[in-house]
Amino acid sequence: MAQQESTWWRGAAIYQVYVRSFADGDGDGTGDLAGVRSRLPYLAELGIDAIWFNPWYPSPMDDGGYDVSDYRDIEPSFGSLAEAEKLIEEAHHLGIKIIIDIVPNHCSDVHPWFVAAVAAGRDSLERQRFWFRDGLGENGELPPNNWQSRFGGSAWTRVTEPDGSPGQWFLHLYSSRQPDLNWRNPAVHAEFADVLRFWFNRGVDGFRIDVADGLVKEDGLPDVADPNGRLPYSDLDGVHEIYREWRKIADSYPDKRVFVGEMWLPDPLRFAMYLRPDELHSAFNFDFLSCPWDATRLREVVDATLAAHAPVNAPATWVLSNHDVTRHVTRYGRTDTSFSFADRQHQAPTDRTLGERRARAAALLTLALPGGVYIYQGEELGLSEVEDLPDEVREDPVFKRTKGADIGRDGCRVPVPWSGAESPYGFNTTGAAPWLPQPANWASATVEAQTDDPSSMLELYRSALRLRHTETALGDGPLLWLDDLPAGVLAFSRDSSFACVVNLSGSAVALPPHLEVLLASGPLDGTDLPSDMAVWLRT
Ligand code: NOJ
């Protein structure tokens, strides 16, 4: 992956750190920056190129930090700004780039802007930074339109006016503690331009943009006509102007800083518009993440992805898991291996062994595809979704707002096991209970237990990431399908000397001609590749 320094992101392996659950340095049960700093050598050794941090800003944690109360500081339970600066410096010293989350669609209800807006009352400049509207009905007792929160329930909440009377409503596409900002207001543009510079000036190499498609709302805030059709708050043309402004800021730094967008969009052509040369550098490819473990479907997604990215000359990205979705070891062990927010298939029967076998093959597939790749903390340990969390420990607003109809995302956010035979498994050294309970059977999943075990998921990731650095064909570059293999087998070369073969056919297949097996997701059967396995070949 011999990338030029200025285009490192085109083929980077980026490790996602959900700070709260990664490592707990001060031993209070919540992960923090001290914990991350102590584990930087682990990440360097793993072989990743960059870290993406979920929001690390001060926050009441109504939505795990996606409810930001100050964009220019660090959540006190995570550490301090000075510590973040040290962390950035230490990571850079180890050759690791830093990407942080920016949350421009909404802030926290305790952000000073929102507090001021509620206090200032109707028709104030303060309210114009948000979406305040009078309600419908005789006494304004009904929400201004029919928009639904993505976390369930109405997207509107009514405030009490300073004089104590029932007042206006404000828009929140997520929880009622996450008021949407009004991007028609130039003050909002100026504020975020300044926040970008604040962090770029502190050495941050890039931003992951939360809800990147959602910032602009349709004039007049019309009702949603068809919930499965075009939404008046997603992917409006005006949003591109924002990213053109942002791109100029990133490009004003000599060592080019980057953006990755979070957009779940059905249309690959609309998706690619965000990746035009004067907008974002890359975006998460959720079609791949949602795709079932099926050779035909996966090949279609890979082809559609590459076809959509080519005209704008943007690199594709490949993601299997993140802090919002069911961990893929669990998904791949089910009858229905796809992912959808509409149905998390909570506690569907899961064959853990099969899921892990497929996850190992999927790792080699993903790490061999052209472009960048994201690894969600714990994925390299083969962690599965924790599905038996008691209701009372669940914190996700999705769970709360749907009254449990959607079980939510806590199950993929359980703190990482590092060492030892029982919880907290080295997450901290004080023995304090982690903020979400860890399963009793994670002793064999720890970093310590998997290290030097050649059959472990961790050593597979380590080997694959090491090869990603030495195999110049990996990362950014072309892909050529190899078609003379049986149905159900995905095989492609990256150049004349490297090929990846993934067997989803249900039975063993003979490997194509090759010089050497560089890496296999499990033991081969002579020269045959068993089902649900993958290999990297020297050809
Ligand atoms: C997407 C983030 O990944 C998710 O965790 C968050 O809840 C929503 N955006 C709202 O910020």
Side-chain angles (χ1 to χ4, degrees):
M1 201 198 41
Q3 304 292 339
Q4 296 293 312
E5 176 66 7
S6 62
T7 55
W8 62 270
W9 46 274
R10 293 189 63 97
I14 301 172
Y15 187 92
Q16 180 190 350
V17 168
Y18 194 75
V19 182
R20 246 180 145 185
S21 302
F22 186 65
D24 173 17
D26 67 1
D28 63 354
T30 296
D32 47 39
L33 300 190
V36 178
R37 288 175 67 199
S38 74
R39 299 297 182 180
L40 283 176
Y42 166 79
L43 294 177
E45 212 252 296
L46 182 59
I48 51 119
D49 303 298
I51 303 174
W52 151 38
F53 286 95
N54 287 104
W56 59 10
Y57 315 103
S59 164
M61 294 284 157
D62 183 60
D63 182 21
Y66 284 94
D67 45 324
V68 179
S69 58
D70 180 355
Y71 290 86
R72 295 179 185 79
D73 205 347
I74 293 291
E75 158 61 24
S77 63
F78 290 174
S80 64
L81 186 56
E83 190 154 31
E85 287 170 356
K86 274 196 214 131
L87 192 164
I88 294 167
E89 197 185 311
E90 288 162 359
H92 284 167
H93 190 68
L94 291 167
I96 297 173
K97 310 270 188 198
I98 300 289
I99 294 174
I100 62 173
D101 229 301
I102 183 114
V103 190
N105 181 68
H106 46 265
C107 60
S108 160
D109 64 343
V110 301
H111 187 287
W113 276 13
F114 190 73
V115 175
V118 175
R122 289 170 193 283
D123 304 325
S124 59
L125 288 177
E126 286 84 349
R127 285 206 178 173
Q128 286 170 26
R129 293 168 177 154
F130 298 92
W131 293 101
F132 279 86
R133 290 289 181 275
D134 291 329
L136 304 178
E138 215 165 303
N139 300 305
E141 71 280 10
L142 298 173
N145 67 24
N146 69 354
W147 296 7
Q148 293 295 297
S149 155
R150 292 216 167 95
F151 290 167
S154 169
W156 295 91
T157 291
R158 196 170 194 187
V159 297
T160 303
E161 296 300 346
D163 66 4
S165 63
Q168 289 194 299
W169 298 69
F170 67 91
L171 175 68
H172 52 86
L173 290 180
Y174 294 88
S175 97
S176 57
R177 303 207 51 194
Q178 295 169 292
D180 276 51
L181 289 156
N182 177 0
W183 277 86
R184 302 227 182 250
N185 185 335
V188 174
H189 287 245
E191 171 69 0
F192 277 90
D194 191 67
V195 168
L196 294 180
R197 287 197 189 90
F198 179 91
W199 291 103
F200 280 149
N201 292 345
R202 278 164 182 75
V204 157
D205 301 284
F207 285 92
R208 175 263 190 198
I209 306 168
D210 189 56
V211 200
D213 60 298
L215 277 43
V216 175
K217 276 74 176 173
E218 193 169 318
D219 277 336
L221 311 183
D223 273 349
V224 171
D226 169 9
N228 300 316
R230 220 191 53 79
L231 298 170
Y233 47 79
S234 170
D235 193 31
L236 274 87
D237 288 336
V239 81
H240 296 284
E241 281 313 312
I242 300 170
Y243 300 129
R244 293 201 176 100
E245 276 172 34
W246 286 21
R247 181 62 179 254
K248 285 192 194 116
I249 298 172
D251 285 350
S252 72
Y253 289 80
D255 53 343
K256 301 274 189 287
R257 313 298 172 93
V258 301
F259 295 114
V260 51
E262 187 228 13
M263 302 94 73
W264 294 77
L265 296 178
D267 177 349
L269 294 177
R270 296 285 308 178
F271 178 90
M273 286 172 70
Y274 291 73
L275 305 178
R276 289 177 289 193
D278 58 348
E279 298 192 42
L280 309 182
H281 299 75
S282 65
F284 295 106
N285 173 5
F286 293 124
D287 290 343
F288 183 71
L289 181 155
S290 310
C291 186
W293 184 246
D294 173 276
T296 308
R297 299 282 294 279
L298 282 166
R299 181 164 167 166
E300 280 165 10
V301 169
V302 171
D303 281 338
T305 301
L306 297 177
H309 285 69
V312 285
N313 189 30
T317 67
W318 310 97
V319 195
L320 292 170
S321 280
N322 66 29
H323 65 294
D324 291 330
V325 307
T326 311
R327 283 193 179 269
H328 62 274
V329 164
T330 301
R331 291 192 332 251
Y332 288 159
R334 292 172 173 166
T335 312
D336 176 355
T337 51
S338 67
F339 175 78
S340 139
F341 285 114
D343 180 10
R344 285 174 192 274
Q345 306 181 53
H346 182 57
Q347 290 185 338
T350 302
D351 178 340
R352 174 80 180 58
T353 310
L354 180 64
E356 184 171 332
R357 183 183 174 85
R358 289 174 171 167
R360 293 175 65 90
L364 293 198
L365 166 63
T366 308
L367 288 163
L369 287 169
V373 59
Y374 285 82
I375 299 163
Y376 176 46
Q377 66 182 36
E379 155 180 347
E380 80 279 23
L381 304 175
L383 298 188
S384 39
E385 186 80 2
V386 181
E387 296 204 277
D388 58 358
L389 290 170
D391 286 357
E392 59 276 13
V393 305
R394 292 191 179 273
E395 292 210 1
D396 188 355
V398 169
F399 174 77
K400 296 181 193 163
R401 287 183 66 91
T402 63
K403 303 197 171 47
D406 183 337
I407 200 69
R409 304 162 293 178
D410 295 299
C412 64
R413 300 174 175 179
V414 174
V416 168
W418 293 92
S419 59
E422 55 191 43
S423 181
Y425 300 108
F427 175 61
N428 58 43
T429 53
T430 57
W435 71 279
L436 282 174
Q438 298 162 306
N441 64 356
W442 267 10
S444 58
T446 65
V447 170
E448 181 183 56
Q450 295 196 37
T451 294
D452 295 334
D453 172 357
S455 70
S456 71
M457 187 72 91
L458 177 57
E459 293 301 345
L460 179 72
Y461 269 82
R462 282 181 172 149
S463 303
L465 286 164
R466 217 172 291 135
L467 279 167
R468 226 178 123 88
H469 281 273
T470 51
E471 290 298 310
T472 47
L474 291 182
D476 196 19
L479 167 150
L480 186 71
W481 291 109
L482 305 174
D483 276 326
D484 42 3
L485 282 123
V489 177
L490 291 173
F492 54 90
S493 65
R494 294 301 314 278
D495 69 3
S496 58
S497 67
F498 182 96
C500 174
V501 183
V502 192
N503 181 5
L504 298 90
S505 73
S507 45
V509 296
L511 286 176
H514 59 277
L515 300 174
E516 185 193 347
V517 174
L518 295 169
L519 188 61
S521 67
L524 299 179
D525 181 4
T527 54
D528 282 357
L529 179 65
S531 185
D532 291 319
M533 275 188 45
V535 274
W536 286 0
L537 300 175
R538 167 75 65 238
T539 50

